Amino acid sequence: MAKRITVIGGSGFVGTNLCRHLALKKQDFEIIDLKMSNQFPEKCKIADVRDAETLRKTISGDVVVNLAAVHRDDFGISLNISAPMLMVPKTLRWCVKKKASIRLSLRAPLRFMDLQSRVRMKMVRLIRLMNMGGLSLRLRKTAEVAIRGDNSLIIVRPTVIFGEGNRGNVFNLLNQIASGKFLMVGKGENKKSMAYIGNIVAFLETCVATEQKYGVYNYIDTPDLTMYELVSQVRAKLKGKDGIGLRVPYVFGLIMGYTADLIAKLSGKNLPVSLIRVKKFASSTEFASSKFTLHDFHPPYTLSEGLVRTLESEFVAPKPGMEIFYTE
Protein backbone atom coordinates (compact mmCIF):
# COMPACT_ATOMS: atom_id res chain seq x y z
CA MET A 1 0.00 0.00 0.00
CA ALA A 2 1.18 3.53 -0.76
CA LYS A 3 2.62 5.76 1.96
CA ARG A 4 -0.14 8.33 1.51
CA ILE A 5 -3.41 8.21 -0.44
CA THR A 6 -5.26 11.27 -1.73
CA VAL A 7 -9.01 10.74 -2.11
CA ILE A 8 -10.59 13.37 -4.33
CA GLY A 9 -14.31 13.45 -3.64
CA GLY A 10 -13.62 11.79 -0.30
CA SER A 11 -16.55 13.57 1.37
CA GLY A 12 -19.05 11.71 -0.82
CA PHE A 13 -20.65 8.30 -0.42
CA VAL A 14 -17.96 6.07 -1.93
CA GLY A 15 -15.14 8.30 -0.68
CA THR A 16 -16.34 8.33 2.92
CA ASN A 17 -16.75 4.56 2.96
CA LEU A 18 -13.28 4.11 1.46
CA CYS A 19 -11.75 6.50 3.99
CA ARG A 20 -13.39 4.61 6.86
CA HIS A 21 -11.59 1.46 5.76
CA LEU A 22 -8.31 3.32 5.31
CA ALA A 23 -8.65 4.77 8.82
CA LEU A 24 -9.38 1.33 10.31
CA LYS A 25 -6.19 0.03 8.69
CA LYS A 26 -4.27 3.09 9.96
CA GLN A 27 -3.44 4.01 6.36
CA ASP A 28 -2.37 7.64 5.90
CA PHE A 29 -4.75 9.55 3.62
CA GLU A 30 -6.04 13.01 2.77
CA ILE A 31 -9.37 14.17 1.33
CA ILE A 32 -9.80 16.83 -1.34
CA ASP A 33 -13.37 17.93 -1.93
CA LEU A 34 -15.62 20.91 -2.56
CA LYS A 35 -17.25 20.32 0.83
CA MET A 36 -15.87 19.43 4.24
CA SER A 37 -15.88 15.79 5.25
CA ASN A 38 -18.25 15.21 8.16
CA GLN A 39 -16.36 12.18 9.40
CA PHE A 40 -12.77 13.23 8.68
CA PRO A 41 -12.64 17.06 8.84
CA GLU A 42 -9.03 16.99 10.04
CA LYS A 43 -8.06 15.12 6.87
CA CYS A 44 -9.95 17.36 4.45
CA LYS A 45 -8.69 20.09 2.11
CA ILE A 46 -11.15 22.22 0.15
CA ALA A 47 -10.40 22.40 -3.59
CA ASP A 48 -12.17 22.15 -6.94
CA VAL A 49 -11.10 19.46 -9.42
CA ARG A 50 -11.97 21.87 -12.23
CA ASP A 51 -9.09 24.10 -11.10
CA ALA A 52 -6.14 22.05 -12.31
CA GLU A 53 -3.44 24.42 -11.04
CA THR A 54 -4.86 24.52 -7.51
CA LEU A 55 -5.31 20.76 -7.59
CA ARG A 56 -1.66 20.20 -8.49
CA LYS A 57 -0.59 22.32 -5.52
CA THR A 58 -3.02 20.62 -3.12
CA ILE A 59 -2.37 16.91 -3.70
CA SER A 60 0.34 15.42 -1.49
CA GLY A 61 -0.27 11.66 -1.80
CA ASP A 62 1.53 9.06 -3.87
CA VAL A 63 -1.79 7.55 -4.97
CA VAL A 64 -4.77 9.67 -5.95
CA VAL A 65 -8.22 8.12 -5.87
CA ASN A 66 -10.51 10.50 -7.74
CA LEU A 67 -14.17 9.90 -6.94
CA ALA A 68 -15.42 13.34 -7.93
CA ALA A 69 -18.58 12.81 -9.97
CA VAL A 70 -21.97 14.23 -10.84
CA HIS A 71 -24.89 12.05 -11.91
CA ARG A 72 -28.50 12.98 -12.52
CA ASP A 73 -31.42 11.56 -14.48
CA ASP A 74 -32.35 14.74 -16.35
CA PHE A 75 -30.66 15.68 -19.60
CA GLY A 76 -29.65 19.15 -18.38
CA ILE A 77 -26.58 17.62 -16.78
CA SER A 78 -24.90 17.41 -20.18
CA LEU A 79 -24.53 21.18 -20.16
CA ASN A 80 -22.80 21.08 -16.79
CA ILE A 81 -20.24 18.43 -17.61
CA SER A 82 -19.28 19.07 -21.23
CA ALA A 83 -16.52 21.59 -20.51
CA PRO A 84 -14.81 19.66 -17.67
CA MET A 85 -14.87 16.47 -19.75
CA LEU A 86 -13.04 18.16 -22.57
CA MET A 87 -10.27 19.12 -20.17
CA VAL A 88 -9.54 15.51 -19.23
CA PRO A 89 -7.13 14.59 -22.06
CA LYS A 90 -5.18 17.84 -21.63
CA THR A 91 -4.63 17.23 -17.92
CA LEU A 92 -3.73 13.58 -18.40
CA ARG A 93 -1.16 14.55 -21.04
CA TRP A 94 0.28 16.99 -18.49
CA CYS A 95 0.71 14.09 -16.07
CA VAL A 96 2.47 12.03 -18.71
CA LYS A 97 4.78 14.93 -19.54
CA LYS A 98 5.76 15.09 -15.88
CA LYS A 99 6.39 11.31 -15.96
CA ALA A 100 3.80 10.70 -13.26
CA SER A 101 2.91 7.16 -12.30
CA ILE A 102 -0.82 7.21 -12.86
CA ARG A 103 -3.81 5.08 -12.01
CA LEU A 104 -7.10 6.01 -13.54
CA SER A 105 -10.51 4.71 -12.53
CA LEU A 106 -13.53 5.39 -14.69
CA ARG A 107 -17.10 5.03 -13.58
CA ALA A 108 -19.19 2.50 -15.52
CA PRO A 109 -20.63 3.48 -18.92
CA LEU A 110 -24.28 3.58 -17.85
CA ARG A 111 -26.93 5.19 -19.98
CA PHE A 112 -27.33 8.56 -18.37
CA MET A 113 -24.18 10.07 -17.23
CA ASP A 114 -21.60 11.31 -15.73
CA LEU A 115 -18.32 12.76 -14.63
CA GLN A 116 -15.26 14.86 -14.98
CA SER A 117 -11.96 16.11 -13.72
CA ARG A 118 -8.19 16.07 -13.94
CA VAL A 119 -5.17 15.53 -11.86
CA ARG A 120 -1.49 15.84 -11.34
CA MET A 121 1.71 15.31 -9.60
CA LYS A 122 5.18 14.05 -9.90
CA MET A 123 5.31 10.36 -8.99
CA VAL A 124 1.57 10.26 -8.33
CA ARG A 125 -0.64 7.32 -9.21
CA LEU A 126 -4.14 8.46 -10.07
CA ILE A 127 -7.33 6.46 -9.60
CA ARG A 128 -10.13 8.38 -11.24
CA LEU A 129 -13.79 7.31 -11.10
CA MET A 130 -15.95 8.47 -13.99
CA ASN A 131 -19.51 7.79 -15.04
CA MET A 132 -19.47 8.16 -18.81
CA GLY A 133 -22.28 7.43 -21.21
CA GLY A 134 -21.89 6.28 -24.80
CA LEU A 135 -21.39 9.77 -26.21
CA SER A 136 -18.16 10.11 -24.20
CA LEU A 137 -16.64 6.81 -25.37
CA ARG A 138 -14.26 8.49 -27.82
CA LEU A 139 -13.08 10.91 -25.14
CA ARG A 140 -12.54 8.06 -22.67
CA LYS A 141 -10.41 6.14 -25.18
CA THR A 142 -8.39 9.27 -25.87
CA ALA A 143 -7.72 9.67 -22.14
CA GLU A 144 -6.68 6.03 -21.77
CA VAL A 145 -4.25 6.19 -24.69
CA ALA A 146 -2.82 9.49 -23.42
CA ILE A 147 -1.56 8.08 -20.14
CA ARG A 148 -0.46 4.59 -21.12
CA GLY A 149 3.19 3.71 -21.69
CA ASP A 150 5.45 3.90 -18.67
CA ASN A 151 2.59 5.00 -16.45
CA SER A 152 0.53 2.80 -14.17
CA LEU A 153 -3.10 2.85 -15.28
CA ILE A 154 -6.02 1.07 -13.62
CA ILE A 155 -9.53 1.71 -14.94
CA VAL A 156 -12.52 0.64 -12.85
CA ARG A 157 -16.07 0.92 -14.16
CA PRO A 158 -18.60 0.00 -11.48
CA THR A 159 -22.29 -0.22 -12.18
CA VAL A 160 -24.88 1.55 -9.98
CA ILE A 161 -23.71 1.51 -6.36
CA PHE A 162 -25.97 1.12 -3.33
CA GLY A 163 -25.56 0.69 0.40
CA GLU A 164 -26.19 2.06 3.87
CA GLY A 165 -26.73 5.81 3.87
CA ASN A 166 -27.01 6.24 0.09
CA ARG A 167 -30.11 8.05 -1.11
CA GLY A 168 -29.93 7.18 -4.78
CA ASN A 169 -32.28 5.34 -7.13
CA VAL A 170 -31.79 1.95 -5.45
CA PHE A 171 -32.79 3.42 -2.09
CA ASN A 172 -35.81 5.08 -3.69
CA LEU A 173 -36.93 1.66 -4.94
CA LEU A 174 -36.36 0.04 -1.55
CA ASN A 175 -38.21 2.89 0.17
CA GLN A 176 -41.22 2.52 -2.14
CA ILE A 177 -41.41 -1.19 -1.38
CA ALA A 178 -41.04 -0.53 2.36
CA SER A 179 -43.84 2.06 2.28
CA GLY A 180 -46.22 -0.28 0.46
CA LYS A 181 -46.56 2.18 -2.43
CA PHE A 182 -44.53 0.17 -4.91
CA LEU A 183 -46.11 -0.73 -8.24
CA MET A 184 -44.31 -3.12 -10.59
CA VAL A 185 -44.16 -1.85 -14.18
CA GLY A 186 -43.95 -4.68 -16.69
CA LYS A 187 -43.22 -8.33 -16.01
CA GLY A 188 -40.02 -7.72 -14.07
CA GLU A 189 -37.93 -9.96 -16.31
CA ASN A 190 -35.36 -7.23 -16.93
CA LYS A 191 -32.07 -7.58 -15.05
CA LYS A 192 -30.37 -4.86 -13.03
CA SER A 193 -26.62 -4.84 -12.51
CA MET A 194 -25.72 -3.42 -9.08
CA ALA A 195 -22.73 -3.15 -6.77
CA TYR A 196 -22.76 -3.07 -2.97
CA ILE A 197 -20.62 -0.34 -1.40
CA GLY A 198 -18.73 -2.77 0.84
CA ASN A 199 -17.58 -4.69 -2.22
CA ILE A 200 -16.66 -1.54 -4.16
CA VAL A 201 -14.45 -0.36 -1.31
CA ALA A 202 -12.74 -3.77 -1.10
CA PHE A 203 -12.09 -3.74 -4.85
CA LEU A 204 -10.71 -0.18 -4.81
CA GLU A 205 -8.35 -1.16 -2.00
CA THR A 206 -7.16 -4.07 -4.15
CA CYS A 207 -6.59 -1.67 -7.06
CA VAL A 208 -4.59 0.70 -4.89
CA ALA A 209 -2.40 -2.12 -3.56
CA THR A 210 -1.70 -3.89 -6.85
CA GLU A 211 1.63 -3.58 -8.62
CA GLN A 212 -0.07 -4.23 -11.94
CA LYS A 213 0.82 -1.63 -14.55
CA TYR A 214 -2.45 -1.56 -16.47
CA GLY A 215 -5.97 -2.91 -16.17
CA VAL A 216 -9.58 -2.20 -17.12
CA TYR A 217 -12.24 -3.69 -14.86
CA ASN A 218 -16.02 -3.58 -15.01
CA TYR A 219 -17.30 -4.07 -11.48
CA ILE A 220 -20.69 -5.75 -10.98
CA ASP A 221 -21.86 -7.94 -8.11
CA THR A 222 -22.95 -11.11 -9.87
CA PRO A 223 -25.17 -12.90 -10.55
CA ASP A 224 -27.54 -10.14 -11.61
CA LEU A 225 -31.04 -10.16 -10.19
CA THR A 226 -34.13 -9.67 -12.32
CA MET A 227 -36.40 -6.90 -11.10
CA TYR A 228 -38.88 -9.60 -10.06
CA GLU A 229 -36.22 -11.34 -7.95
CA LEU A 230 -35.01 -8.07 -6.45
CA VAL A 231 -38.48 -6.89 -5.43
CA SER A 232 -39.40 -10.34 -4.12
CA GLN A 233 -36.32 -10.50 -1.89
CA VAL A 234 -36.96 -7.03 -0.49
CA ARG A 235 -40.66 -7.73 0.18
CA ALA A 236 -39.80 -11.00 1.88
CA LYS A 237 -37.32 -9.24 4.17
CA LEU A 238 -39.43 -6.18 5.00
CA LYS A 239 -42.99 -7.44 4.69
CA GLY A 240 -42.71 -11.19 5.11
CA LYS A 241 -44.65 -11.56 1.86
CA ASP A 242 -43.99 -13.53 -1.31
CA GLY A 243 -44.06 -12.13 -4.83
CA ILE A 244 -44.01 -8.57 -6.10
CA GLY A 245 -47.45 -7.27 -5.19
CA LEU A 246 -49.34 -5.04 -7.62
CA ARG A 247 -48.24 -4.92 -11.27
CA VAL A 248 -49.26 -2.86 -14.32
CA PRO A 249 -48.37 -3.47 -18.00
CA TYR A 250 -45.41 -1.51 -19.37
CA VAL A 251 -47.61 0.61 -21.66
CA PHE A 252 -49.52 1.94 -18.64
CA GLY A 253 -46.21 2.76 -17.00
CA LEU A 254 -45.25 4.84 -20.03
CA ILE A 255 -48.55 6.71 -19.83
CA MET A 256 -47.87 7.42 -16.16
CA GLY A 257 -44.41 8.74 -17.07
CA TYR A 258 -45.69 11.01 -19.83
CA THR A 259 -48.39 12.34 -17.51
CA ALA A 260 -45.91 13.00 -14.70
CA ASP A 261 -43.59 14.86 -17.09
CA LEU A 262 -46.48 17.05 -18.26
CA ILE A 263 -47.51 17.86 -14.68
CA ALA A 264 -43.91 18.64 -13.78
CA LYS A 265 -43.56 20.95 -16.77
CA LEU A 266 -46.75 22.84 -15.98
CA SER A 267 -46.14 23.09 -12.23
CA GLY A 268 -42.38 23.59 -12.34
CA LYS A 269 -41.91 20.85 -9.75
CA ASN A 270 -39.85 17.67 -9.96
CA LEU A 271 -41.91 14.55 -9.33
CA PRO A 272 -40.64 11.15 -8.14
CA VAL A 273 -42.08 9.57 -11.33
CA SER A 274 -40.89 10.53 -14.82
CA LEU A 275 -40.74 8.95 -18.26
CA ILE A 276 -36.98 8.46 -17.97
CA ARG A 277 -37.31 6.71 -14.62
CA VAL A 278 -40.07 4.43 -15.91
CA LYS A 279 -37.96 3.45 -18.92
CA LYS A 280 -34.90 2.87 -16.75
CA PHE A 281 -36.91 0.78 -14.31
CA ALA A 282 -38.27 -1.51 -17.02
CA SER A 283 -35.05 -1.77 -19.03
CA SER A 284 -32.14 -4.14 -18.47
CA THR A 285 -28.84 -2.70 -17.28
CA GLU A 286 -26.79 -5.87 -17.41
CA PHE A 287 -23.00 -5.81 -17.74
CA ALA A 288 -20.30 -8.46 -17.66
CA SER A 289 -18.02 -8.25 -14.63
CA SER A 290 -14.24 -8.59 -14.88
CA LYS A 291 -13.42 -8.11 -11.17
CA PHE A 292 -12.25 -11.71 -10.74
CA THR A 293 -9.33 -11.13 -13.12
CA LEU A 294 -7.59 -8.79 -10.65
CA HIS A 295 -5.68 -11.07 -8.27
CA ASP A 296 -8.63 -13.48 -8.30
CA PHE A 297 -10.62 -10.91 -6.32
CA HIS A 298 -13.72 -12.18 -4.53
CA PRO A 299 -16.10 -9.68 -2.90
CA PRO A 300 -16.62 -9.97 0.86
CA TYR A 301 -20.43 -9.93 0.42
CA THR A 302 -22.86 -11.50 -2.01
CA LEU A 303 -25.37 -9.19 -3.68
CA SER A 304 -28.16 -10.61 -1.51
CA GLU A 305 -26.07 -10.06 1.63
CA GLY A 306 -25.46 -6.46 0.59
CA LEU A 307 -29.20 -5.96 0.14
CA VAL A 308 -29.93 -7.47 3.57
CA ARG A 309 -27.29 -5.28 5.25
CA THR A 310 -28.76 -2.19 3.58
CA LEU A 311 -32.34 -3.11 4.50
CA GLU A 312 -31.34 -3.82 8.10
CA SER A 313 -29.56 -0.49 8.43
CA GLU A 314 -32.17 1.62 6.66
CA PHE A 315 -35.52 0.05 7.57
CA VAL A 316 -35.34 -2.81 10.08
CA ALA A 317 -33.01 -1.29 12.68
CA PRO A 318 -31.98 2.20 11.51
CA LYS A 319 -28.63 3.33 12.83
CA PRO A 320 -28.88 6.59 14.80
CA GLY A 321 -26.64 9.35 13.49
CA MET A 322 -25.86 7.57 10.22
CA GLU A 323 -24.56 10.02 7.62
CA ILE A 324 -26.83 10.37 4.60
CA PHE A 325 -25.60 10.94 1.03
CA TYR A 326 -28.06 12.21 -1.57
CA THR A 327 -27.42 11.10 -5.13
CA GLU A 328 -29.61 10.60 -8.20
Side-chain angles (χ1 to χ4, degrees):
M1 190 72 74
K3 292 181 179 179
R4 186 177 178 85
I5 299 174
T6 298
V7 184
I8 300 179
S11 298
F13 177 58
V14 177
T16 296
N17 279 274
L18 175 60
C19 289
R20 284 183 196 144
H21 281 257
L22 296 177
L24 287 173
K25 294 184 176 181
K26 301 187 183 304
Q27 170 68 51
D28 187 24
F29 67 92
E30 67 179 357
I31 293 172
I32 298 177
D33 206 306
L34 282 172
K35 64 178 183 179
M36 184 60 65
S37 169
N38 290 332
Q39 298 192 29
F40 304 99
E42 75 285 356
K43 297 279 191 179
C44 192
K45 302 176 183 178
I46 302 300
D48 191 334
V49 294
R50 292 169 294 185
D51 185 349
E53 186 60 33
T54 299
L55 199 60
R56 285 195 290 268
K57 295 177 180 178
T58 305
I59 295 172
S60 64
D62 349 67
V63 172
V64 178
V65 181
N66 186 353
L67 304 171
V70 175
H71 176 272
R72 291 180 60 185
D73 280 340
D74 58 85
F75 292 113
I77 190 65
S78 61
L79 299 176
N80 298 332
I81 63 164
S82 57
M85 282 173 59
L86 291 175
M87 296 178 189
V88 171
K90 179 179 179 181
T91 306
L92 295 178
R93 284 196 296 271
W94 186 93
C95 293
V96 173
K97 184 178 180 181
K98 293 295 183 180
K99 300 186 183 301
S101 177
I102 300 170
R103 300 196 167 201
L104 176 67
S105 170
L106 301 179
R107 184 149 180 147
L110 300 182
R111 183 176 307 175
F112 298 98
M113 358 218 340
D114 182 6
L115 158 79
Q116 52 279 355
S117 108
R118 34 294 195 298
V119 179
R120 82 43 71 183
M121 179 155 230
K122 194 172 182 180
M123 297 311 293
V124 167
R125 294 186 297 175
L126 165 67
I127 294 184
R128 170 169 152 57
L129 238 159
M130 302 173 96
N131 178 8
M132 288 186 167
L135 61 89
S136 62
L137 179 61
R138 181 176 58 84
L139 175 60
R140 190 182 72 232
K141 288 183 176 180
T142 301
E144 293 176 13
V145 170
I147 61 177
R148 290 195 63 179
D150 295 331
N151 303 287
S152 176
L153 170 62
I154 300 293
I155 301 169
V156 181
R157 300 173 184 153
T159 185
V160 61
I161 302 171
F162 74 95
E164 301 91 324
N166 183 269
R167 293 296 183 269
N169 287 333
V170 174
F171 173 83
N172 293 335
L173 171 62
L174 301 181
N175 194 40
Q176 285 183 355
I177 299 172
S179 67
K181 299 177 181 179
F182 174 77
L183 186 66
M184 174 69 80
V185 176
K187 296 180 180 180
E189 296 175 347
N190 52 308
K191 291 186 176 181
K192 294 292 183 182
S193 289
M194 299 190 298
Y196 175 57
I197 183 61
N199 294 335
I200 289 293
V201 167
F203 190 72
L204 287 177
E205 288 181 315
T206 302
C207 291
V208 170
T210 185
E211 294 299 320
Q212 186 170 308
K213 294 288 291 182
Y214 178 78
V216 181
Y217 303 99
N218 291 336
Y219 189 96
I220 297 95
D221 282 329
T222 51
D224 293 316
L225 298 175
T226 65
M227 186 56 68
Y228 189 99
E229 292 169 333
L230 174 61
V231 174
S232 296
Q233 288 187 24
V234 175
R235 290 184 83 242
K237 175 66 178 178
L238 297 182
K239 303 292 186 179
K241 298 179 179 179
D242 296 329
I244 59 172
L246 297 177
R247 185 185 73 84
V248 297
Y250 179 58
V251 65
F252 286 102
L254 294 178
I255 294 173
M256 291 166 55
Y258 278 117
T259 303
D261 284 353
L262 179 60
I263 294 174
K265 184 176 182 180
L266 294 175
S267 65
K269 298 180 180 179
N270 289 325
L271 300 178
V273 177
S274 68
L275 182 60
I276 291 177
R277 287 190 170 104
V278 170
K279 287 183 175 180
K280 286 179 67 175
F281 176 86
S283 64
S284 288
T285 52
E286 186 180 3
F287 303 99
S289 183
S290 55
K291 60 181 181 290
F292 302 114
T293 60
L294 179 63
H295 302 313
D296 195 29
F297 174 83
H298 287 276
Y301 308 99
T302 66
L303 180 55
S304 293
E305 288 171 343
L307 277 172
V308 169
R309 289 171 62 89
T310 302
L311 294 172
E312 287 280 353
S313 177
E314 296 285 3
F315 303 102
V316 178
K319 297 178 180 179
M322 179 174 61
E323 186 173 4
I324 303 302
F325 300 88
Y326 291 92
T327 59
E328 288 287 338

